[in-house]
């Protein structure tokens, strides 16, 4: 890898010509670095959070309306929970809850199943306003988040799907701290749904999907995170024989939706004795946002006043 440590964050959609196989590719450079460096989690946790960011961007970019897509793992392993969400247009954030000693005890490169244990992956779509939330849940008994999400699409949505995610650290000359990168790609066989999605005459749906999948399986992990491998070049390498049509590109940014109002609303639900107990030596109650590390502080009386007001 070269010395280029800054780069764009984007998700781009494409279609393989004639097949009605659609996909998206995501590259996270500055965004992955910002989120993962700020959290300073153990490396094994950072890798899963990086995958969650890339996967959330791939899924969130498919929303046809303004809303929030949340991906959440819950497991009985040392990595108890990972949450990543995408709010349109193009805003990502992520955090993790884990037992540090138990994670470190697993060594430098633990298997995904040892980290998360037994649990579930939930994908929630909140369109906002009065519209109803939608949630799908699949078991987490997979090799990684990509596999779990693939199972979600194949079982819940009946759409043949392939997903690859990759996370890496990049060392640049003269800079001792590693830079995080995350990337991923998804393809889905919409032709299998039939109807207006059916492919052009002369195309065999199964044969097309088989070829698209075999080519997809040749993706090397580094191709999804190396700044020298451009998205267009990777798509061309894979699908130049059939042709690839590239659609819109969405820029991605880190962003958090936390606010003093939201934090105070949560804290003011605690009983009075607990609120008083939370106060530090200076008498203030402090809460830190798990996503962006912003620290909010309140006078206990302030929190208890809203309590009696409601
Ligand atoms: Zn925040």
């Amino acid at each position: 890898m070269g010395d280029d440590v800054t780069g764009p964050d984007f998700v781009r959609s494409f279609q393989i010509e004639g097949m009605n196989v659609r996909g998206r590719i995501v590259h996270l450079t500055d965004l992955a670095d910002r989120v993962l460096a700020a959290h300073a989690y153990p490396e094994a946790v950072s890798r899963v959070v990086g995958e969650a960011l890339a996967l959330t961007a791939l899924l969130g970019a498919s929303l046809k309306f303004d809303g929030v897509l949340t991906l959440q793992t819950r497991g009985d392993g040392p990595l108890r929970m990972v949450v990543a969400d995408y709010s349109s247009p193009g805003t990502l954030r992520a955090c993790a809850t884990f037992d540090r000693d138990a994670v470190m005890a697993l060594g430098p490169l633990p298997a995904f199943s040892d980290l998360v244990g037994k649990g579930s992956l939930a994908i929630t779509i909140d369109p906002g306003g009065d519209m109803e939330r939608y949630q799908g849940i699949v078991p987490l008994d997979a090799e990684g988040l990509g596999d779990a999400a693939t199972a979600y699409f194949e079982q819940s949505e009946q759409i043949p799907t392939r997903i690859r995610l990759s996370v890496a650290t990049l060392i640049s000359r003269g800079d001792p701290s590693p830079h995080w990168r995350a990337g991923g790609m998804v393809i889905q066989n919409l032709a299998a749904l039939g109807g207006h999605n059916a492919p052009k005459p002369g195309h065999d749906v199964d044969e097309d999907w088989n070829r698209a999948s075999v080519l997809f399986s040749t993706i090397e992990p580094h191709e999804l995170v190396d700044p020298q491998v451009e998205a267009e070049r990777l798509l061309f390498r894979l699908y130049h024989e059939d042709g690839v049509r590239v659609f819109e590109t969405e820029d991605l940014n880190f962003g958090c939706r936390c606010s003093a109002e939201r934090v105070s609303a949560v804290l003011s639900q605690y009983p009075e004795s607990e609120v008083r107990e939370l106060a530090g030596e200076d008498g203030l109650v402090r809460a830190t946002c798990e996503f962006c590390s912003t620290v909010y502080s309140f006078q206990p009386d302030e929190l208890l006043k809203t309590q009696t007001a409601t």
Side-chain angles (χ1 to χ4, degrees), residues 236-289:
F236 181 80
R237 177 180 85 64
L238 294 171
Y239 299 119
H240 63 274
E241 272 184 36
D242 296 285
V244 188
R245 194 187 315 178
V246 176
F247 299 113
E248 71 274 21
T249 293
E250 182 176 79
D251 292 330
L252 299 167
N253 295 290
F254 168 76
C256 194
R257 299 190 304 284
C258 66
S259 68
E261 289 73 30
R262 281 173 196 237
V263 177
S264 123
V266 172
L267 289 172
S268 56
Q269 284 169 16
Y270 289 18
E272 178 169 357
S273 58
E274 275 185 44
V275 171
R276 303 244 176 248
E277 243 168 68
L278 284 172
E281 279 180 10
D282 58 358
L284 292 175
V285 173
R286 286 193 176 73
T288 307
C289 174

Side-chain angles (χ1 to χ4, degrees), residues 93 256-258 289 291-294 296:
R93 61 178 191 171
C256 194
R257 299 190 304 284
C258 66
C289 174
F291 288 102
C292 69
S293 305
T294 299
Y296 293 94

Side-chain angles (χ1 to χ4, degrees), residues 14 16 21-25 58 146-147 150 161-165 184-188 208-221 223-224 234-235 237-239:
F14 63 88
I16 305 171
V21 170
R22 288 186 178 241
R24 284 180 295 283
I25 185 164
L58 288 175
D147 283 357
T150 302
T161 301
R162 296 286 179 273
I163 297 174
R164 280 295 275 281
L165 304 169
M185 190 162 152
V186 57
I187 55 169
Q188 296 193 297
D208 278 354
W209 178 242
N210 190 36
R211 191 167 75 251
S213 303
V214 167
L215 290 167
F216 188 84
S217 70
T218 69
I219 298 171
E220 301 278 348
E223 290 183 292
L224 294 169
L234 174 57
L235 291 175
R237 177 180 85 64
L238 294 171
Y239 299 119

Side-chain angles (χ1 to χ4, degrees), residues 34-310:
R34 161 149 198 193
V35 172
L36 298 174
H39 283 314
Y41 296 146
E43 181 167 346
V45 173
S46 291
R47 288 186 177 276
V48 179
V49 175
E51 286 196 352
L53 278 171
L55 179 58
T56 303
L58 288 175
L59 303 184
S62 71
L63 291 181
K64 305 272 191 294
F65 44 79
D66 281 351
V68 179
L69 183 141
T70 306
L71 187 139
Q72 180 168 23
T73 70
R74 272 178 196 280
D76 63 5
L79 179 50
R80 289 193 288 272
M81 190 170 81
V82 175
V83 184
D85 69 25
Y86 166 102
S87 50
S88 46
T91 304
L92 287 173
R93 61 178 191 171
C95 68
T97 308
F98 56 92
D99 177 334
R100 187 173 289 269
D101 291 341
V103 168
M104 300 313 269
L106 292 174
L109 279 171
F112 179 75
S113 54
D114 292 336
L115 261 179
V116 298
K118 292 213 180 334
S120 58
L121 169 71
I123 296 169
T124 310
I125 295 168
D126 187 349
D130 297 334
M131 287 166 76
E132 224 169 292
R133 281 181 4 147
Y134 167 82
Q135 187 171 61
I137 299 179
V138 283
L140 215 45
D141 54 353
E143 298 289 312
L145 284 180
D147 283 357
T150 302
Y152 166 80
F153 281 106
E154 302 209 332
Q155 287 159 27
S156 309
E157 315 256 309
Q158 314 279 315
I159 305 174
T161 301
R162 296 286 179 273
I163 297 174
R164 280 295 275 281
L165 304 169
S166 183
V167 177
T169 50
L170 181 105
I171 308 283
S172 66
R173 233 173 287 150
D175 183 354
S177 53
H179 292 271
W180 286 96
R181 295 288 176 269
M185 190 162 152
V186 57
I187 55 169
Q188 296 193 297
N189 186 16
L190 300 187
L193 300 173
H196 69 277
N197 289 304
K200 286 176 183 158
H203 276 265
D204 177 319
V205 173
D206 295 334
E207 209 178 282
D208 278 354
W209 178 242
N210 190 36
R211 191 167 75 251
S213 303
V214 167
L215 290 167
F216 188 84
S217 70
T218 69
I219 298 171
E220 301 278 348
H222 80 86
E223 290 183 292
L224 294 169
V225 288
D226 188 338
Q228 307 302 320
V229 179
E230 288 159 30
E232 244 97 285
R233 226 194 310 161
L234 174 57
L235 291 175
F236 181 80
R237 177 180 85 64
L238 294 171
Y239 299 119
H240 63 274
E241 272 184 36
D242 296 285
V244 188
R245 194 187 315 178
V246 176
F247 299 113
E248 71 274 21
T249 293
E250 182 176 79
D251 292 330
L252 299 167
N253 295 290
F254 168 76
C256 194
R257 299 190 304 284
C258 66
S259 68
E261 289 73 30
R262 281 173 196 237
V263 177
S264 123
V266 172
L267 289 172
S268 56
Q269 284 169 16
Y270 289 18
E272 178 169 357
S273 58
E274 275 185 44
V275 171
R276 303 244 176 248
E277 243 168 68
L278 284 172
E281 279 180 10
D282 58 358
L284 292 175
V285 173
R286 286 193 176 73
T288 307
C289 174
E290 292 288 325
F291 288 102
C292 69
S293 305
T294 299
V295 180
Y296 293 94
S297 52
F298 306 92
Q299 295 282 356
D301 289 339
E302 217 182 310
L303 296 169
L304 297 166
K305 192 169 61 194
T306 36
Q307 196 167 46
T308 42
T310 49

